[in-house]
């Protein structure tokens, strides 16, 4: 017969007593209160249309404390794209710029410390709407308003140092208890809206005239420039412009610009380095062509394609010619030349006849791109720049060109590390 040892029985009893004592002690401990996190929301901003360059643009907004506790202080921030600027300077705001980065353009930023309590369930609005000004370059712009219970940190993109405002402070006033509809429309801590101005932007193209003999390689530099006065900001991922290039008969492409992709052997489509282009900026697309046979007056075409351009009211410079003269009496050899521009180029050095500009904020030229106006129109029909023949290849910056399906738009994505959101 098996007997249970007394020591084992005592051990189990002891464990039971200790467990009961432990549970009793835990139950008697006081509960620790956990403070609820502030829950703030910004009302959905309404689009603004019909802004006039040089005029004031008012941006109303509202703030809701959706939590259960009063919030003692909040920070209201707003950012605008380059066609807009602050019209009012609030004394409790710090103003700076954020550099373009992650395919986003430069922005102006205001961070305002509103040192007043916000009651739960109450809707607040500013004493007066935020005051902005439409710049001469305004066309398609954006404004974003956000609210935080803690002070926002500096942007990772860099930019200018914050400068304090000089006027009366930005204040919030009670509008009344929030409704269910108010709670639904204040679901997020930030909201953005489009601001559309009544303005124009003249997109212009320049072609080239080339001379050479059969077997020569010549460089044709096609140019696109925004002659303003407005900047043009497309949606993220969409090029600011799309240029269609048809190669002259009797020639073949040895090397195309990196922003250009072939549709056929004689048909290319070219995009831009960013989704925006500032006045006076644009792109240059060098094409190295080989003259395969003499075709007198061989002419290719350059034109715009892709997204609509309702802002461009001047159709006279929307097309240009690429002419290759390879008839009798032309001079062979290996002289180098590219297209020239009627306006000055910004930055960069000239290599193999093509101008290579450095990057710049908003619609910067890069990887063989340049800035400058369109050339005067020649008697041959279309904007041309006279060039010579060349057997040397231009040095073109390495950039990626991607075809947006169904749109025919090639957008070269390039990250930039610099200033404001």
């Amino acid at each position: 017969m098996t007997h249970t040892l007394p020591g084992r029985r005592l051990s189990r009893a002891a464990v039971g007593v200790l467990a009961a004592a432990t549970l009793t002690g835990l139950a008697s401990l006081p509960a620790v209160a956990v403070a609820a996190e502030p829950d703030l929301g910004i009302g959905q901003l309404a689009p603004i249309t019909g802004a006039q360059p040089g005029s004031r643009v008012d941006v109303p907004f509202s703030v809701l404390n959706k939590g259960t506790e009063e919030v003692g202080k909040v920070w209201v921030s707003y950012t605008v794209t380059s066609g807009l600027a602050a019209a009012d300077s609030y004394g409790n705001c710090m103003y700076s710029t954020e550099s373009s980065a992650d395919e986003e353009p430069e922005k102006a930023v205001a961070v305002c410390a509103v040192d007043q309590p916000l009651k739960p369930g109450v809707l607040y609005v500013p004493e007066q709407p935020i005051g902005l000004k439409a710049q001469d370059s305004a066309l398609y712009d954006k404004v974003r308003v956000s609210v935080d219970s803690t002070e926002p940190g500096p942007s990772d993109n860099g930019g200018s140092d914050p400068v304090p405002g000089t006027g009366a402070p930005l204040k919030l006033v009670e509008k009344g208890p929030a409704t269910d509809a108010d709670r639904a429309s204040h679901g997020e801590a930030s909201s953005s809206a489009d601001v559309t101005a009544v303005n124009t932007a003249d997109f212009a193209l320049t072609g080239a005239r080339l001379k050479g003999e059969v077997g020569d390689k010549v460089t044709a530099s096609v140019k696109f420039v925004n002659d303003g006065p407005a900047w043009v900001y497309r949606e993220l991922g969409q090029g600011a412009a799309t240029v269609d290039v048809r190669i002259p008969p009797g020639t073949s492409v040895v090397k195309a610009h990196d922003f250009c992709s072939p549709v056929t052997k004689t048909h290319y489509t070219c995009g831009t380095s960013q989704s925006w282009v500032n006045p006076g900026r644009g792109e240059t697309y060098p094409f190295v062509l080989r003259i395969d046979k003499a075709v007198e007056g061989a002419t290719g075409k350059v034109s715009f394609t892709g997204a609509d351009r309702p802002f461009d009211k001047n159709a006279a410079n929307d097309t240009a010619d690429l002419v290759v003269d390879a008839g009798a009496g032309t001079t062979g050899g290996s002289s180098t030349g590219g297209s020239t521009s009627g306006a000055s180029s910004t930055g960069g050095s000239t290599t193999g006849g093509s101008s290579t500009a450095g990057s710049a904020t908003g619609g910067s030229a890069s990887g063989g791109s340049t800035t400058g106006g369109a050339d005067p129109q020649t008697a041959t029909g279309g904007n041309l720049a006279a060039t010579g023949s060349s057997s040397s290849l231009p040095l073109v910056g390495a950039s990626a060109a991607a075809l947006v399906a169904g749109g025919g738009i090639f957008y070269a994505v390039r990250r930039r590390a610099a200033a404001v959101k």
Side-chain angles (χ1 to χ4, degrees), residues 4 9 45 50 62 89 104 106 142 150 160 177 214 243 266 277 294 328 377 388:
T4 305
R9 184 181 298 114
L45 301 182
S62 55
S89 178
E104 289 282 355
E106 181 180 276
K142 290 185 181 294
T150 58
S160 66
V214 174
V243 178
T266 60
V277 57
Q377 194 164 19

Side-chain angles (χ1 to χ4, degrees), residues 11-369:
S11 177
R12 286 177 179 173
V15 169
V17 171
L18 289 173
T22 301
L23 291 173
T24 303
L26 289 174
S28 65
L29 291 176
V32 178
V34 179
E37 290 290 331
D39 188 6
L40 303 172
I42 286 284
Q44 295 174 0
L45 301 182
I48 298 171
T49 59
Q52 298 289 334
S55 67
R56 180 184 176 91
V57 177
D58 287 334
V59 181
F61 70 94
S62 55
V63 178
L64 175 60
N65 177 3
K66 299 177 291 180
T68 58
E69 302 293 333
E70 183 176 274
V71 179
K73 181 178 182 179
V74 298
W75 280 261
V76 173
S77 306
Y78 57 95
T79 65
V80 295
T81 50
S82 66
L84 301 171
D88 297 327
S89 178
Y90 302 107
N92 58 341
C93 298
M94 300 294 289
Y95 296 88
S96 62
T97 58
E98 182 179 312
S99 300
S100 61
D102 296 328
E103 290 77 57
E104 289 282 355
E106 181 180 276
K107 297 179 179 68
V109 181
V111 179
C112 308
V114 182
D115 194 1
Q116 63 182 84
L118 269 61
K119 302 174 185 177
V122 176
L123 200 63
Y124 290 83
V125 296
E127 287 182 317
Q128 298 292 331
I130 290 175
L132 303 177
K133 179 183 178 181
Q135 309 272 59
D136 291 341
S137 61
L139 181 60
Y140 302 141
D141 285 276
K142 290 185 181 294
V143 58
R144 180 182 180 88
V145 181
S146 59
V147 62
D148 296 280
S149 59
T150 58
E151 184 176 7
S155 169
D156 294 334
N157 299 335
S160 66
D161 293 332
V163 176
T166 57
L170 176 68
K171 293 182 179 180
L172 300 176
V173 296
E174 292 187 23
K175 185 178 180 182
T179 65
D180 290 341
D182 291 329
R183 290 184 176 277
S185 65
H186 290 70
E188 302 294 335
S190 64
S191 181
S192 300
D194 294 332
V195 180
T196 306
V198 181
N199 208 350
T200 61
D202 184 14
F203 280 13
L205 290 173
T206 303
R209 179 180 291 277
L210 311 170
K211 291 185 178 182
E213 295 181 340
V214 174
D216 283 349
K217 294 175 184 177
V218 292
T219 300
S221 291
V222 174
K223 289 188 178 182
F224 150 64
V225 67
N226 174 17
D227 282 335
W231 81 313
V232 175
Y233 179 30
R234 305 283 197 177
E235 292 299 323
L236 184 64
Q238 183 182 34
T242 308
V243 178
D244 197 68
V245 180
R246 308 276 178 160
I247 306 303
T251 66
S252 57
V253 177
V254 176
K255 182 173 178 59
H257 189 270
D258 289 336
F259 292 175
C260 303
S261 295
V263 179
T264 68
K265 291 182 178 180
T266 60
H267 178 195
Y268 281 72
T269 306
C270 305
T272 56
S273 59
Q274 298 289 3
S275 59
W276 72 92
V277 57
N278 285 337
R281 307 292 294 187
E283 305 284 359
T284 296
Y285 311 107
F287 280 80
V288 179
L289 306 178
R290 181 175 57 242
I291 302 176
D292 298 321
K293 62 180 179 179
V295 178
E296 187 175 355
T299 302
K301 292 291 183 181
V302 182
S303 60
F304 288 113
T305 187
D308 291 338
R309 294 172 291 108
F311 48 82
D312 190 350
K313 307 301 182 182
N314 179 19
N317 53 15
D318 289 352
T319 61
D321 291 342
L322 285 178
V323 179
V324 175
D325 291 326
T330 59
T331 302
S334 58
S335 60
T336 301
S339 64
T340 58
S341 173
S344 62
S345 293
T346 303
S349 61
T350 301
T351 305
S354 63
S355 177
T356 304
S359 64
T361 301
S364 66
S366 71
S369 60

